[in-house]
Short mmCIF file of all heavy atoms in Angstrom, two decimals:
data_model
loop_
_atom_site.label_atom_id
_atom_site.label_comp_id
_atom_site.label_asym_id
_atom_site.label_seq_id
_atom_site.Cartn_x
_atom_site.Cartn_y
_atom_site.Cartn_z
N LEU T 269 118.68 51.71 114.24
CA LEU T 269 119.38 52.24 113.10
C LEU T 269 120.87 52.25 113.29
O LEU T 269 121.37 52.51 114.40
CB LEU T 269 118.93 53.68 112.85
CG LEU T 269 117.42 53.90 112.50
CD1 LEU T 269 117.13 55.34 112.42
CD2 LEU T 269 117.09 53.21 111.19
N GLU T 270 121.63 51.94 112.20
CA GLU T 270 123.07 51.90 112.32
C GLU T 270 123.64 53.31 112.12
O GLU T 270 124.64 53.67 112.67
CB GLU T 270 123.67 50.92 111.33
CG GLU T 270 123.33 49.47 111.57
CD GLU T 270 123.53 48.61 110.35
OE1 GLU T 270 124.31 49.06 109.44
OE2 GLU T 270 122.95 47.49 110.30
N ARG T 271 122.99 54.06 111.22
CA ARG T 271 123.39 55.41 110.99
C ARG T 271 122.29 56.36 111.26
O ARG T 271 121.13 55.95 111.36
CB ARG T 271 123.80 55.55 109.44
CG ARG T 271 125.21 54.94 109.17
CD ARG T 271 125.52 55.07 107.71
NE ARG T 271 126.94 55.04 107.46
CZ ARG T 271 127.75 56.01 107.64
NH1 ARG T 271 127.35 57.23 108.09
NH2 ARG T 271 129.11 55.91 107.27
N PRO T 272 122.57 57.61 111.44
CA PRO T 272 121.56 58.62 111.73
C PRO T 272 120.52 58.64 110.58
O PRO T 272 120.89 58.43 109.48
CB PRO T 272 122.25 59.99 111.81
CG PRO T 272 123.75 59.64 111.86
CD PRO T 272 123.89 58.27 111.39
N PRO T 273 119.23 58.93 110.98
CA PRO T 273 118.18 58.97 109.93
C PRO T 273 118.51 60.13 108.95
O PRO T 273 119.28 61.04 109.22
CB PRO T 273 116.93 59.26 110.70
CG PRO T 273 117.31 59.76 112.02
CD PRO T 273 118.68 59.13 112.31
N VAL T 274 117.91 60.09 107.77
CA VAL T 274 118.22 61.05 106.75
C VAL T 274 117.12 62.09 106.66
O VAL T 274 115.92 61.77 106.37
CB VAL T 274 118.34 60.35 105.41
CG1 VAL T 274 118.60 61.34 104.24
CG2 VAL T 274 119.48 59.33 105.42
N PRO T 275 117.43 63.38 106.78
CA PRO T 275 116.44 64.46 106.59
C PRO T 275 116.31 64.64 105.07
O PRO T 275 117.22 64.65 104.30
CB PRO T 275 117.08 65.66 107.24
CG PRO T 275 118.59 65.40 107.21
CD PRO T 275 118.71 63.89 107.29
N PHE T 276 114.99 64.77 104.66
CA PHE T 276 114.68 64.79 103.24
C PHE T 276 113.64 65.83 102.96
O PHE T 276 112.57 65.80 103.62
CB PHE T 276 114.17 63.35 102.80
CG PHE T 276 113.63 63.26 101.42
CD1 PHE T 276 114.46 63.06 100.36
CD2 PHE T 276 112.27 63.41 101.19
CE1 PHE T 276 113.98 62.89 99.08
CE2 PHE T 276 111.77 63.36 99.93
CZ PHE T 276 112.60 63.09 98.89
N TYR T 277 113.91 66.72 102.02
CA TYR T 277 113.00 67.79 101.73
C TYR T 277 112.14 67.31 100.53
O TYR T 277 112.57 67.28 99.40
CB TYR T 277 113.66 69.10 101.39
CG TYR T 277 114.17 69.76 102.64
CD1 TYR T 277 115.56 70.03 102.78
CD2 TYR T 277 113.35 70.06 103.71
CE1 TYR T 277 116.05 70.63 103.91
CE2 TYR T 277 113.85 70.68 104.80
CZ TYR T 277 115.23 70.91 104.95
OH TYR T 277 115.66 71.51 106.10
N HIS T 278 110.83 67.02 100.74
CA HIS T 278 110.06 66.35 99.71
C HIS T 278 109.77 67.36 98.55
O HIS T 278 109.95 67.03 97.32
CB HIS T 278 108.73 65.84 100.27
CG HIS T 278 107.94 65.01 99.41
ND1 HIS T 278 107.05 65.52 98.47
CD2 HIS T 278 107.92 63.65 99.26
CE1 HIS T 278 106.54 64.52 97.78
NE2 HIS T 278 107.02 63.39 98.25
N ASP T 279 109.41 68.59 98.91
CA ASP T 279 109.00 69.54 97.85
C ASP T 279 110.17 69.83 96.92
O ASP T 279 110.03 69.96 95.73
CB ASP T 279 108.51 70.79 98.45
CG ASP T 279 107.08 70.61 99.13
OD1 ASP T 279 106.58 69.44 98.93
OD2 ASP T 279 106.56 71.53 99.79
N LYS T 280 111.36 69.92 97.52
CA LYS T 280 112.50 70.16 96.70
C LYS T 280 112.55 69.18 95.54
O LYS T 280 112.71 69.53 94.39
CB LYS T 280 113.82 69.97 97.58
CG LYS T 280 114.43 71.25 98.10
CD LYS T 280 115.84 70.89 98.58
CE LYS T 280 116.52 72.14 99.13
NZ LYS T 280 117.80 71.77 99.75
N HIS T 281 112.33 67.88 95.90
CA HIS T 281 112.37 66.79 94.91
C HIS T 281 111.24 66.89 93.94
O HIS T 281 111.44 66.77 92.72
CB HIS T 281 112.47 65.45 95.57
CG HIS T 281 113.78 65.22 96.29
ND1 HIS T 281 114.05 65.75 97.50
CD2 HIS T 281 114.88 64.50 95.91
CE1 HIS T 281 115.30 65.43 97.88
NE2 HIS T 281 115.82 64.67 96.95
N THR T 282 110.05 67.17 94.44
CA THR T 282 108.93 67.33 93.59
C THR T 282 109.24 68.41 92.53
O THR T 282 109.12 68.15 91.33
CB THR T 282 107.66 67.72 94.37
OG1 THR T 282 107.71 67.09 95.63
CG2 THR T 282 106.37 67.37 93.65
#
Side-chain angles (χ1 to χ4, degrees):
Chain T
L269 296 174
E270 293 162 19
R271 281 180 159 280
V274 176
F276 172 86
Y277 287 122
H278 191 275
D279 288 355
K280 262 192 180 176
H281 290 78
T282 323

